[in-house]
Structure formats: structure tokens, C-alpha cells
């Protein structure tokens, strides 16, 4: 039976290893690796021991729950906090509906946010009751509107309109009006960080795409303006741009017209980030082969349609890592607005530490703030991986 | 060889003294010809002879710098509206397929009808599925281009061009990038298309296809048409020395 032996399946050699074998192969394969391994074990032991004792026996964590309100909203007046809560509730409803209607990516983002809400609810520390209450309500709202939004495709248009109106409404809601208006100088903490970051991210993206397209335009005027903008802005530190927005812009403004300080910071962050975004997007545009443009033209697509449906989708998905990196950088760069006297998440730590009751607790506070930054930046990075998988990057 | 009963005497493409330069390199040196409705023309010649450039001027992927080209009564000029009108009338199939990799095969086909012809999604998909059926790859509709073979990709590309209901189809070496066993499945589709009465300009090295399907064979060399004739005359009684050499070389293998 020669044919049988010919087609007989041969199993691949086993690559499984027992734990002892693994240790020997990877950690103790010869004398100097053994020395290194032992040295690393000792080093890690002391490192973890030090961190453990500090975190669990020495650190005075009371500074965090006691100042949770300042960390969250800065010096926003306490009796007006319902405004923030309302904004959070409306956001929760919109996110829940989006997750229900579009599923996929929206679902992932929303569940991530819902998890954060749930975590705040269950936090074992002594939290201000109203914060816990708001977190509970927000989490429930997300869940309820998600269930409501499922299979209600006719709500699509309204949800999109809702998102578009969200930003102006939020600004209006947080500011209030009349005599009780809350000056944006009182906005602070995580609230301000998130507002600056979200506005910066949402606004810098389209501007960056337009600048990238402009830089590759056949029209010399548009091309040169784009190049000049990108190169000049990239050549300046963000701190300089923030200062210019804060100190010089008012000088050029006509009469007593005053642009709000937070708005000026938003503009500065957006314009700064857009220049970098433009170069990221341009990198993606260069990766789209000429044949794609030709095929789109041959089908009769106009330039805007070629860009919208053929070139940009391919260009952007190939530079998602760079774009998300830019978003993360922008998120952390918001901490620089403290130099123009806005107290965002990092900036409020100075206010807290100025209180004699909390002096010397810088490590605790900074570590906590670092963890908060990490949660948000890690979430962004995680979502970007889902987006990539969703779009089949590298597969087709 | 079958007589083409589909041709009429109305020219659908008229080229008058068409010139084109790439920088200082004179690619097209005064092409004057016309193509009738329903005509099947095969364009051949050595590489660098300007044959691809020539058919690319007809839908303005390349701009000609002298002379006139009139397609279906519209002169090609810098007027964008005219260019887009002509591009809707002229379908093109590329050597490298140039399918849109981020869209499924079906969406590759429906994009043009939906965004340019303004068909509804449902109507566009119905037409696209019918075309894929005609190309014998209806089962590949929901795959992505990278998930199907080269021959299937090229047939999707033909379907994409046909979905715009063009009056003219341009083929720029449609089988040159294919593995040998996939060439015939693409040629079969093109043969079927030829018999349906489509006006076709085909740049190809497939001499068997040319002999069988073409009404006319044009031989390009160094930017000029040095010989054009019906296939029988072209292959059996070439006039020009250069043509004789080319035919003997291509028929050797």
C-alpha cells in the first residue's frame, strides 16, 4: 500500500515544554543568565517590598477622597454641581443609544465608560454621596438607553443631531447664565481636562485632514499656506502658543471684546495639534497607491468623492497608531494649560497642596493623578486596537 | 473569426493628431484614428510604444497636449464637467486591477452607481449581483478583494467598470498580471462582452484573443501607429518590417 504511506499524516514535533524545562531554557540556561536571573529576583523583591510598604502602610491616602470634588471639577461651585451631573446624564443617554443603534465599536466604547461608572459606584473609599449617586444614575441611564436603542434604526438621525448639539449645549449648561453664571475660571480638575481634550481631539482631526490634503494640493496658494502653517506651528512649543493665545490675542481683539480663557486654550490646543495631525494624515495619504486614484477617477468619482470614499479611508486606517498617539499626547498636553492659570487635573494639585492640612502629600496626589491619566490614555489605546481589528487593518 | 454585426458607421471616439510628452519624452507622436460604435480594437506593440498611454488619454487619466479627442460627441478639454461626463461613459480595466482593498467586492461595484449615478443602495446591489453572476463569481460578493484569486479580482474589476453602464470599455493589459491558469477565465468574460456589442479598446499581448475577437488590430511603435488592419491581414500579411518582427516574436511561444 504505497499510496497510503505516502499520504499518511505526520504530526509536527511537539513544542510543549514543562515548567521546569521552560525555567531552565529561559532563565538558567548558563552561568551568567543564572546570575542575571538571581540578581533580577533580588532587585524585584526590594522594589515590590518598598512600593508595597509605602502604598499600604505609609501613604496618607485620605487626601484623595477628601479632595475628590476639587480633583473632579476644580473650584466649580458646590451648589451648581447638578449642572455637571446633567451633562454627564445626557452623555450617558447618548452613548447608550449609540451603542444600541450602531453596535460594534460604539458598544465597546460605551461599555468601557459604563465600567468606569460602575467602578466609581463601587469604590471602597468614602466618596461624597452625591458623586456616588450621579455615577449610579449615569450607569443605569447607559444601560437603559442601550436597551431602548437596540433595533431602533429610526432614531439614528436624532442621535446624530444630539451629538452635534451636545457641545454647545454642554458649554451653555456648564456656564449657566445671568447673575449666577459660573465663570470658566472656576472650571477645573478632570472636568476641564476632559473638555479640553475632547474638544481638541474632535476639532484638530478635520483641520488636520484638510491641512494634509492642502499640502498635497495642485493649487500653489493652498499648498504653500498649508506648508507654512504646519511648519510654523510645529516649530513652536505648545507653551508659547498657549501664552500667545492667552496674552497676545486679547491685545489684537477689537475693543472690549473678550474671548473666554478656556475657549482660547481650546483654540490653542486645537491649532497646535492640527499641525501634527496633518503630517500623520499626510503619511497615510502617501501610502495610498496612484492606481487607487486612477480607478476612482475611471469610475467617474469627483475629487471630493474620491477622497471621501476611496483615499481617506485607506490613508487614515493605515496611520491609526500615529493618530491615536497624537490624541494621547494631546490629552496629556492639556496639563500645560496650568501655566495660563487654568487648573485642570494636574493644576488643581497645587490648590490642594496649598492647604496646610495636606502639605507634603505630593507623592500620594501625583500617583493618583498619574493613575487617572493612565486609565484614560490606556482606554484610548485599547479602543484604537478595537478600531483596527474592526476595519481589518493588515488583512484587507 | 466572426464578422462583427454590431458595428455601425458612427464613430464614437475620434482622435485627431494626438500628441503627448512626459517631460521631454515624446510618447504619442500624432495619433489620428477613430473607433466606431461596437468596434473591437486590439492595440499591441512593444513596451514603451505608447499604447497604454494612448488608451489612458481617452478617459483623461493622461492629458494630451496637442490635438483633439472627441468621445461620444464631447471634446476632452480641461473642463472638469466634461471629463467627469466622459469618465461615466468610459469604463476602464487596469493591469493591476486597482480594486479598492477596504471595500468588499460587492461594494467595489456599487460605489460608482450609488455615488455617481445616484442609484439607491438596493438597486445598486441588485445590479452588482447580476453583474457578478454574469462574471460567474456571485459567490465572492461579500469577500474582500484580497481574499479572492487574481482572475476573480480582475473579473470584479470588469464588473465594477460595467456597473456604470459605459458605452466604451478600455482594457489596459488586463491579463498581464495574472497567473497563466487564470488568463482564460478573464478572456472568456471579455469575449462574452465583445459579443454583447460593447465598444472595446484592448491593449494586450494575447494574440489568440486578438485574432478571434478583434475587428481591427493597431500596432504601436515609438508613439505612432505603424500598421492597422483586420486580424487576418495583420497576422498573415503584415506590411511593415517592425510588425513582421513583432508577430514572429510573439507567436514563437
Amino acid at each position: 500500500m504505497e499510496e497510503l504511506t505516502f499520504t499518511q499524516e505526520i504530526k509536527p514535533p511537539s513544542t510543549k515544554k514543562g515548567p521546569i524545562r521552560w525555567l531552565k531554557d529561559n532563565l538558567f540556561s548558563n552561568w551568567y543568565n543564572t546570575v542575571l536571573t538571581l540578581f533580577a529576583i533580588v532587585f524585584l523583591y526590594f522594589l515590590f517590598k518598598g512600593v508595597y510598604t509605602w502604598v499600604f502602610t505609609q501613604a496618607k491616602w485620605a487626601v484623595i477622597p477628601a479632595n475628590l470634588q476639587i480633583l473632579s471639577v476644580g473650584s466649580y461651585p458646590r451648589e451648581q454641581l447638578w449642572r455637571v451631573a446633567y451633562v454627564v446624564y445626557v452623555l450617558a443617554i447618548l452613548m447608550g443609544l449609540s451603542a444600541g443603534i450602531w453596535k460594534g465599536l460604539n458598544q465597546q466604547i460605551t461599555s468601557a465608560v459604563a465600567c468606569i461608572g460602575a467602578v466609581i459606584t463601587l469604590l471602597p473609599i468614602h466618596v461624597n454621596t452625591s458623586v456616588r449617586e450621579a455615577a449610579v444614575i449615569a450607569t443605569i441611564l447607559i444601560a437603559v438607553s442601550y436597551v431602548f436603542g437596540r433595533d431602533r434604526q429610526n432614531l439614528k438621525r436624532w442621535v446624530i443631531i444630539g451629538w452635534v448639539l451636545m457641545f454647545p449645549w454642554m458649554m451653555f449648561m456648564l456656564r449657566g447664565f445671568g447673575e449666577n453664571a459660573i465663570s470658566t475660571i472656576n472650571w477645573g480638575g478632570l472636568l476641564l481636562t476632559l473638555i479640553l481634550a475632547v474638544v481638541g481631539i474632535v476639532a484638530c482631526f478635520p483641520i488636520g485632514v484638510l491641512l494634509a490634503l492642502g499640502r498635497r494640493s495642485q493649487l500653489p496658494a493652498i499648498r504653500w499656506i498649508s506648508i507654512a502653517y504646519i511648519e510654523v506651528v510645529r516649530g513652536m512649543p505648545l507653551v508659547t502658543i498657549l501664552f500667545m493665545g492667552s496674552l497676545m490675542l486679547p491685545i489684537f481683539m477689537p475693543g472690549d471684546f473678550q474671548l473666554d480663557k478656556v475657549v482660547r486654550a481650546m483654540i490653542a490646543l486645537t491649532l497646535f495639534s492640527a499641525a501634527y495631525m496633518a503630517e500623520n494624515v499626510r503619511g497615510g495619504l502617501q501610502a495610498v497607491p496612484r492606481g487607487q486614484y486612477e480607478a476612482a477617477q475611471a469610475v467617474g468619482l469627483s475629487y471630493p468623492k474620491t477622497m471621501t470614499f476611496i483615499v481617506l479611508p485607506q490613508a487614515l486606517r493605515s496611520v491609526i497608531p500615529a493618530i491615536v498617539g497624537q490624541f494621547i499626547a494631546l490629552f496629556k498636553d492639556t496639563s500645560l494649560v496650568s501655566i495660563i492659570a487654568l487648573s485642570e487635573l494636574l493644576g488643581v494639585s497645587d490648590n490642594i497642596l496649598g492647604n496646610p492640612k495636606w502639605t507634603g502629600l505630593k507623592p500620594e496626589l501625583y500617583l493618583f493623578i498619574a493613575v487617572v491619566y493612565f486609565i484614560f490614555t490606556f482606554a484610548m489605546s485599547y479602543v484604537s486596537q478595537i478600531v483596527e481589528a474592526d476595519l481589518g487593518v493588515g488583512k484587507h | 473569426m466572426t464578422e462583427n454585426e454590431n458595428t455601425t458607421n458612427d464613430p464614437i471616439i475620434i482622435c485627431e493628431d494626438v500628441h503627448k510628452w512626459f517631460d521631454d519624452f515624446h510618447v504619442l507622436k500624432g495619433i489620428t484614428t477613430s473607433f466606431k460604435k461596437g468596434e473591437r480594437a486590439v492595440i499591441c506593440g512593444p513596451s514603451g510604444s505608447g499604447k497604454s498611454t494612448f488608451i489612458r488619454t481617452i478617459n483623461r487619466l493622461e492629458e494630451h497636449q496637442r490635438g483633439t479627442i472627441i468621445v461620444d460627441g464631447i471634446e476632452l478639454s480641461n473642463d472638469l464637467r466634461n471629463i467627469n461626463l466622459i469618465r461615466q461613459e468610459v469604463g476602464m480595466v487596469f493591469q493591476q486591477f486597482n480594486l479598492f482593498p477596504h471595500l468588499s467586492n460587492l461594494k467595489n461595484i456599487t460605489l460608482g452607481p450609488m455615488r455617481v449615478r445616484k442609484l439607491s443602495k438596493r438597486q445598486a446591489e441588485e445590479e452588482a449581483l447580476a453583474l457578478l453572476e454574469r462574471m460567474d463569481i456571485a459567490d465572492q460578493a461579500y469577500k474582500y478583494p484580497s481574499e479572492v484569486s487574481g482572475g476573480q479580482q480582475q473579473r470584479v474589476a470588469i464588473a465594477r467598470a460595467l456597473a456604470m453602464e459605459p458605452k466604451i470599455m478600455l482594457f489596459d493589459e488586463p491579463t498581464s498580471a495574472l497567473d497563466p491558469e487564470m488568463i482564460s477565465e478573464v478572456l472568456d468574460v471579455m469575449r462574452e462582452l465583445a459579443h454583447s456589442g460593447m465598444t472595446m479598446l484592448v491593449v494586450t499581448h494575447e494574440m489568440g484573443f486578438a485574432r478571434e475577437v478583434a475587428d481591427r488590430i493597431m500596432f504601436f511603435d515609438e508613439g505612432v501607429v505603424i500598421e492597422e488592419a483586420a486580424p487576418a491581414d495583420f497576422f498573415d500579411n503584415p506590411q511593415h518590417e517592425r510588425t513582421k518582427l513583432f508577430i514572429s516574436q510573439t507567436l514563437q511561444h
Side-chain angles (χ1 to χ4, degrees), chain A residues 332-354:
Chain A
K332 293 185 295 183
D333 280 350
T334 56
S335 57
L336 288 172
V337 300
S338 55
I339 63 146
I340 55 168
L342 288 171
S343 305
E344 40 63 64
L345 182 57
L346 189 63
V348 289
S349 63
D350 285 341
N351 306 357
I352 297 170
L353 294 168

Side-chain angles (χ1 to χ4, degrees), chain A residues 27-48:
Chain A
L27 300 177
F28 300 100
S29 55
N30 51 39
W31 71 265
Y32 52 84
N33 278 346
T34 310
V35 170
L36 274 177
T37 303
L38 293 174
F39 183 78
I41 290 174
V42 172
F43 174 77
L44 288 174
Y45 170 75
F46 283 109
L47 182 73
F48 278 114

Side-chain angles (χ1 to χ4, degrees), chain B residues 10-50:
Chain B
D10 317 327
I12 193 167
I13 303 170
I14 303 166
C15 301
E16 279 276 337
D17 192 33
V18 174
H19 287 261
K20 165 86 189 166
W21 287 263
F22 287 132
D23 295 325
D24 285 340
F25 180 57
H26 202 172
V27 201
L28 297 178
K29 301 174 182 163
I31 310 291
T32 300
T33 186
S34 67
F35 301 91
K36 291 182 229 138
K37 252 181 202 151
E39 183 171 351
R40 282 106 59 157
V42 164
I43 298 164
C44 58
S47 61
S49 60

Side-chain angles (χ1 to χ4, degrees), chain A residues 204 272-274 276-277 280 321-331:
Chain A
C204 85
F272 177 77
S273 212
Y276 288 87
M277 185 57 56
N280 288 339
I323 290 176
V324 173
Q326 178 62 35
F327 287 168
I328 289 175
L330 173 62
F331 182 77

